[in-house]
Amino acid sequence: QVQLVESGGGLVQAGGSLRLSCAASRRTFSAYDMGWFRQAPGKEREFVAAVRRSTLYYSDSVKGRFALSRDNAKNMGYLQMNSLQPEDTAVYYCAAGARTSDLTGEYLYWGQGTQVTVSS
C-alpha cells in the first residue's frame, strides 16, 4: 500500500550532522502520523521522534539535537540530526501511521532503514 525508503545515512564524526530523508510512494505524511525509530545491534528498537498533526514529539535522548520535518507536497519526511554522538549509531527507520494512540509503538508502514555511524 505504502512504501517508504530512507536515505542520507552514513559515517560522521562526533559533533557532526546528518539529514535523513524518507520518501513515500504515495501521499502519506499529510494523512498519517510520521515516526522515526532506531535500532542498534543487539538492542530493542528505540523511539526517536514523531509528529501527529502539527505536534512534535522527541525522545529525551535526542531532544534539542534532532528535528523532524515533512514536506507533504513532495511526500517526503526528514530527520535533521545535529551534535551527533557515538551513542546515536544505529539503523534508522521511518514509519507512517501509528497503530495506536501511542506514537512510540507500532506503525502501519516501515522503511528498510539507513545506517548511521558516529565515530569518536
Side-chain angles (χ1 to χ4, degrees):
Q1 292 282 82
V2 174
Q3 291 183 320
L4 305 174
V5 179
E6 302 95 335
S7 62
L11 176 64
V12 64
Q13 294 184 10
S17 299
L18 285 173
R19 189 192 193 196
L20 305 183
S21 298
C22 179
S25 60
R26 61 174 63 186
R27 184 181 67 85
T28 300
F29 301 125
S30 64
Y32 293 97
D33 305 319
M34 173 186 171
W36 285 93
F37 295 78
R38 65 187 183 186
Q39 187 170 26
K43 295 187 177 181
E44 296 293 324
R45 184 184 64 203
E46 176 188 9
F47 169 77
V48 175
V51 58
R52 180 168 60 200
R53 296 192 177 182
S54 61
T55 304
L56 297 169
Y57 303 85
Y58 298 97
S59 68
D60 290 339
S61 62
V62 307
K63 187 175 297 184
R65 299 189 297 121
F66 291 10
L68 182 155
S69 63
R70 57 186 174 184
D71 187 334
N72 294 336
K74 296 180 179 180
N75 295 323
M76 294 288 294
Y78 306 96
L79 183 68
Q80 178 67 45
M81 306 185 296
N82 300 320
S83 302
L84 284 162
Q85 301 299 314
E87 294 75 28
D88 297 315
T89 295
V91 176
Y92 283 70
Y93 300 89
C94 66
R99 285 186 170 273
T100 71
S101 60
D102 182 7
L103 296 181
T104 70
E106 292 295 328
Y107 282 66
L108 292 172
Y109 307 104
W110 295 86
Q112 85 290 343
T114 186
Q115 177 71 48
V116 172
T117 302
V118 184
S119 64
S120 60

